[in-house]
Amino acid sequence: MKIDKVTLFPVKMPLVAHFETSFGRIYDRECVLLQVESEGLVGWGECVADADPGYSYETTGTVMHILKDFLLPLVVGRNITDAADYQNRISSIRGHHFAKAGFEMALWDLMGQREGKSLSQLFGGIRDKVEVGVSIGIQDSTAELVKRVDEFTALGYKRIKIKIKPGRDISEAEAVRKAYPNIKLQVDANSAYTLDMAKSLLPLDEMNLLLIEQPLFDDDIWDHRLFQKQLKTAICLDESVISPRHARYAIEMEACKVINIKPGRVGGLSQGIEIAQMCHKIGMPVWCGGSLETGIGRATNLAIATLPGFTMPGDISASDRYYKQDVTHDRFTLNADSTITVPTAPGIGVTVDEAAVKEFSFGEYQTSA
Ligand code: OSB
Ligand code: MG
């Protein structure tokens, strides 16, 4: 695909409700959307950075910088054959996976449109709907948290994830487990504990959780191995697995029993697919994580989650859980069986509301061949 023109839209979108993790609370979500024009087609991608370097070192600002000054000059005006060719061309840029993944997403959209195939078809997906859950942020009180869980279970979510942080962990999980003795429940610490502090999490091991997500440092795999040895419950790595190579390290070190695949974190859909295939081969379950995506990233998360290895419910909730106004005309809704239906139209399979993109944008940048 000859890349003719790229427009970047840094956007800031109000969330329907605040979202709090161990690294902070947000009321709006920032990200960078890419519009890529090629041979008369228009593809869209989403870079899942946020305003602050809390989850990752990447921010909206670093994504704009890396794309403008380093990545786009390597691709604009060039003929890119596929995702592998793209990854090869940008391999001189170290790190910055959110930036890299955003452009790759748009490339997949273009390739799908050219071939008249949905992303799920291009990837070799095997389902037309994906099992999903909801990720609930830290609330002002335990009672408030249980109320949020009540609301989401009433909407039909059959898998609940709660965010935890030191001091707001055992009591929170215990309260939800007591209210819902049989629900599929998991917790996510977003790297808030040291191995030593993690001793305080041992009571979680008796709460029949699906998994404990990323308790220890984001750049750590080894200590997760040491902690996993102390638990019956599966540790699931999120932040620590930033590439197929890191997935292999985690597998070989027995640092986890499950991997959360986020295409952005690992540097692109192609990299996520590679990790999914690696895990599938050895029987390690994976699921698709989320980063409060817009309709664009939500569509591609659903597409990758149709691959055979994705055997656990994803953090892919309905559009109205995140945004009153999204940047796609299409909105995703929850089916009665706690699934979301995968788009079938060519490419990412959703249409972008350009007026909404412009409304949320705070500084476009454009470059062409
Ligand atoms: O750790 O999985 C995470 C959101 C932002 C940053 C990190 C995470 C999350 C979520 C939300 O848990 C998942 C979603 O998109 O619903
Ligand atoms: Mg996580």
Side-chain angles (χ1 to χ4, degrees):
M1 315 263 349
K2 164 101 185 305
I3 307 303
D4 299 317
K5 190 183 198 185
V6 179
T7 313
L8 304 179
F9 299 94
V11 295
K12 179 175 175 154
M13 297 167 58
L15 291 163
V16 294
H18 64 72
F19 190 72
E20 182 173 330
T21 58
S22 61
F23 53 83
R25 178 181 283 197
I26 56 170
Y27 295 84
D28 308 273
R29 180 185 177 247
E30 278 191 16
C31 69
V32 177
L33 303 176
L34 296 96
Q35 183 186 43
V36 181
E37 295 173 48
S38 167
E39 302 167 10
L41 299 172
V42 179
W44 285 88
E46 175 171 349
C47 301
V48 295
D50 211 329
D52 308 298
Y55 170 77
S56 152
Y57 63 86
E58 289 186 84
T59 65
T60 319
T62 70
V63 163
M64 288 298 285
H65 167 52
I66 294 295
L67 287 174
K68 269 198 239 181
D69 298 332
F70 303 104
L71 197 148
L72 296 182
L74 294 173
V75 295
V76 173
R78 309 295 161 88
N79 190 24
I80 301 185
T81 46
D82 56 17
D85 177 36
Y86 165 70
Q87 288 290 340
N88 203 26
R89 284 169 188 271
I90 60 161
S91 61
S92 59
I93 301 172
R94 197 176 300 283
H96 298 284
H97 287 181
F98 295 166
K100 289 174 177 171
F103 185 88
E104 200 196 283
M105 191 188 292
L107 183 65
W108 280 107
D109 188 16
L110 291 166
M111 293 190 297
Q113 290 179 46
R114 185 181 58 184
E115 288 167 44
K117 288 186 175 162
S118 70
L119 289 203
S120 172
Q121 276 178 303
L122 286 184
F123 298 162
I126 56 158
R127 343 168 205 272
D128 49 23
K129 48 189 197 166
V130 166
E131 234 188 291
V132 302
V134 63
S135 171
I136 305 178
I138 296 164
Q139 305 295 315
D140 290 333
S141 68
T142 310
E144 191 67 26
L145 172 65
V146 174
K147 217 175 88 198
R148 293 294 277 159
V149 177
D150 292 343
E151 288 164 14
F152 285 115
T153 52
L155 289 171
Y157 289 100
K158 293 192 174 29
R159 192 231 65 188
I160 301 292
K161 160 167 142 183
I162 62 168
K163 294 289 191 177
I164 58 169
K165 66 178 180 181
R168 302 293 302 281
D169 39 33
I170 306 303
S171 49
E172 316 297 293
E174 223 163 38
V176 176
R177 182 45 94 212
K178 197 166 154 234
Y180 294 90
N182 299 314
I183 204 157
K184 288 182 185 166
L185 180 64
Q186 60 194 59
V187 298
D188 187 0
N190 285 109
S191 307
Y193 299 79
T194 63
L195 182 60
D196 201 40
M197 286 158 77
K199 284 191 195 82
S200 68
L201 294 178
L202 289 175
L204 292 178
D205 213 17
E206 309 306 323
M207 294 187 201
N208 188 27
L209 302 181
L210 282 182
L211 55 88
I212 299 172
E213 186 175 343
Q214 195 70 35
L216 311 177
F217 289 120
D218 65 305
D219 61 352
D220 167 78
I221 294 178
W222 181 256
D223 277 358
H224 280 103
R225 167 196 166 83
L226 300 181
F227 191 41
Q228 178 67 85
K229 280 188 181 206
Q230 303 172 37
L231 297 168
K232 303 180 292 246
T233 310
I235 286 181
C236 169
L237 291 181
D238 174 352
E239 284 91 324
S240 298
V241 174
I242 55 167
S243 65
R245 219 161 22 80
H246 283 67
R248 180 172 65 77
Y249 300 156
I251 291 166
E252 290 179 3
M253 280 188 227
E254 300 175 1
C256 63
K257 293 179 179 168
V258 176
I259 291 178
N260 160 338
I261 294 180
K262 290 184 185 174
R265 191 193 70 228
V266 300
L269 287 156
S270 64
Q271 308 302 292
I273 293 168
E274 204 175 312
I275 295 173
Q277 288 167 343
M278 187 189 307
C279 291
H280 191 48
K281 218 178 266 171
I282 60 153
M284 180 181 283
V286 303
W287 53 284
C288 184
S291 308
L292 314 175
E293 280 85 353
T294 72
I296 296 170
R298 192 162 315 288
T300 57
N301 279 348
L302 285 165
I304 194 174
T306 63
L307 287 174
F310 287 77
T311 53
M312 295 181 82
D315 273 351
I316 314 172
S317 308
S319 305
D320 61 7
R321 182 261 179 282
Y322 307 95
Y323 305 107
K324 204 158 107 190
Q325 168 73 62
D326 206 332
V327 297
T328 51
H329 291 295
D330 320 66
R331 288 183 74 84
F332 293 100
T333 54
L334 189 71
N335 300 320
D337 56 355
S338 197
T339 62
I340 295 182
T341 303
V342 181
T344 52
I348 60 174
V350 287
T351 55
V352 172
D353 180 343
E354 293 191 34
V357 171
K358 292 225 159 81
E359 184 193 326
F360 293 131
S361 168
F362 56 93
E364 292 175 36
Y365 168 84
Q366 194 166 79
T367 176
S368 50

